[in-house]
Amino acid sequence: MAKTVWTEDPGAVLKVGAGFSLAEVDPSSTPGMEGGKSAGKALLEKGRAELGDLQERLWAESRFGGTRSVLLILQAMDTAGKGGIVEHVVGGVDPQGVTIYGFKKPTKAELSHDFLWRVRKQLPTAGHLGVFDRCHYEDVLIARVRNLAEPAVIEERYSAINEFEKQVVDSGTTIVKVMLHISADEQKERLGARLDDPEKNWKFNPGDLDERALWPQYQEAYQIAVEKTSTVDVPWFVVPADHKWYARVAVQHLLLDALRGLHLTWPVAEYDVAEQKGRLADA
């Protein structure tokens, strides 16, 4: 079996920087990595234990007054693999320290508030790894493509998002912001697979074809969004997603980097360990 290794730091090669062009990102590429699918799965499995350990440390820290958390934001076209990331990457850690929320079409009550109101309510609390399956970016993506808001309002939302995310980071939450970048051809194949398999028919939504018809407009909307909202504190990472195994191991690595950066340690006991061992022996 070929050995899969990172030849470059994915945090560097996938980060959106000055001059970024979404059109120049090959969705079938595997930036920074050598090796294939089977080796990629092995690397994913190898990272599972460390991810679980770091998340447990974050959870333990919060039990003793820690206020930090991590938020993974997943944004993508339909079938790009958000669910697979949740299952195969986030699903490998203790669920007591994980909160997952998928944002749907806003309700009437939510529409009566500013567009970030419902997002603030779902931010991860101390010690948690939070996951947003789509989020406030729908308000500058589908809203732009479907003309659900005036252009001037959408323009204001980009700066509002940047300010909001900075506030979240300043409050102690590390944000990992990922766009899973799938090709139109790969999406067509995945949609077809859902139609061909009766056990996957439930995953298919006829509305997905309506959105697919607007592919160029969505690509433009994503380009503008990542350009305007990739900041020093909260950069975007664009992850090629035609190969599910690559997208999963890449996102896992980004999460590992975020958690490692917190320099998490186990809480120090507030009691005399030796004394308690003695009491236990006599019990």
Side-chain angles (χ1 to χ4, degrees), residues 14-279:
L14 301 174
K15 183 187 294 185
V16 171
F20 172 80
S21 171
L22 183 61
E24 294 178 2
V25 178
D26 180 0
S28 67
S29 63
T30 58
M33 176 173 284
E34 62 180 26
K37 181 177 180 179
S38 59
K41 287 185 175 180
L43 188 60
L44 183 69
E45 185 61 33
K46 180 181 178 181
R48 191 184 303 272
E50 183 184 2
L51 186 62
D53 175 76
L54 290 170
Q55 187 275 331
E56 187 177 5
R57 291 178 185 230
L58 181 66
W59 174 257
E61 177 186 86
S62 73
R63 302 303 91 186
F64 290 83
T67 59
R68 297 186 294 181
S69 61
V70 174
L71 172 61
L72 171 63
I73 291 177
L74 297 173
Q75 195 70 43
M77 296 293 286
D78 296 309
T79 78
K82 299 187 305 298
I85 298 295
V86 172
E87 178 182 356
H88 297 282
V89 178
V90 181
V93 305
D94 190 333
Q96 73 173 336
V98 177
T99 55
I100 300 170
Y101 193 83
F103 289 89
K104 307 299 182 184
K105 182 179 179 180
T107 64
K108 288 185 178 180
E110 290 171 339
L111 288 171
S112 69
H113 299 272
D114 75 273
F115 77 104
L116 292 170
W117 178 79
R118 65 175 184 160
V119 181
R120 289 189 180 93
K121 292 175 61 179
Q122 303 301 332
L123 289 170
T125 55
H128 280 80
L129 166 58
V131 182
F132 282 174
D133 181 347
R134 296 187 175 174
C135 57
H136 43 292
Y137 283 95
E138 293 296 289
D139 294 285
V140 294
L141 292 169
I142 189 172
R144 185 185 190 94
V145 173
R146 290 291 188 176
N147 299 312
L148 301 179
E150 293 295 325
V153 172
I154 292 175
E155 286 300 317
E156 291 174 356
R157 287 176 179 174
Y158 297 120
S159 57
I161 286 172
N162 288 337
E163 182 179 350
F164 165 67
E165 291 180 348
K166 185 178 187 307
Q167 291 172 352
V168 173
V169 169
D170 288 345
S171 72
T173 298
T174 299
I175 299 177
V176 180
K177 201 160 53 172
V178 173
M179 177 202 172
L180 299 173
H181 185 38
I182 190 176
S183 67
D185 288 344
E186 179 65 19
Q187 188 200 52
K188 185 174 184 178
E189 184 174 328
R190 294 183 187 181
L191 287 172
R194 292 180 178 181
L195 289 171
D196 290 339
D197 186 348
E199 294 184 3
K200 293 184 179 180
N201 287 171
W202 66 273
K203 289 186 175 183
F204 183 84
N205 183 344
D208 292 346
L209 296 182
D210 297 329
E211 300 308 308
R212 177 178 167 79
L214 299 169
W215 192 275
Q217 293 92 321
Y218 272 107
Q219 297 306 294
E220 179 184 16
Y222 269 105
Q223 171 68 38
I224 295 170
V226 298
E227 268 190 281
K228 290 181 176 289
T229 62
S230 190
T231 64
V232 174
D233 291 326
V234 192
W236 271 104
F237 297 95
V238 173
V239 177
D242 276 8
H243 297 295
K244 294 178 182 179
W245 65 266
Y246 174 79
R248 292 167 186 172
V249 76
V251 173
Q252 183 192 70
H253 192 98
L254 294 172
L255 279 177
L256 284 171
D257 272 356
L259 285 160
R260 289 167 183 159
L262 297 180
H263 306 290
L264 296 159
T265 58
W266 294 110
V268 177
E270 298 177 342
Y271 51 82
D272 187 317
V273 175
E275 178 186 352
Q276 297 308 311
K277 283 184 176 180
R279 291 184 61 201

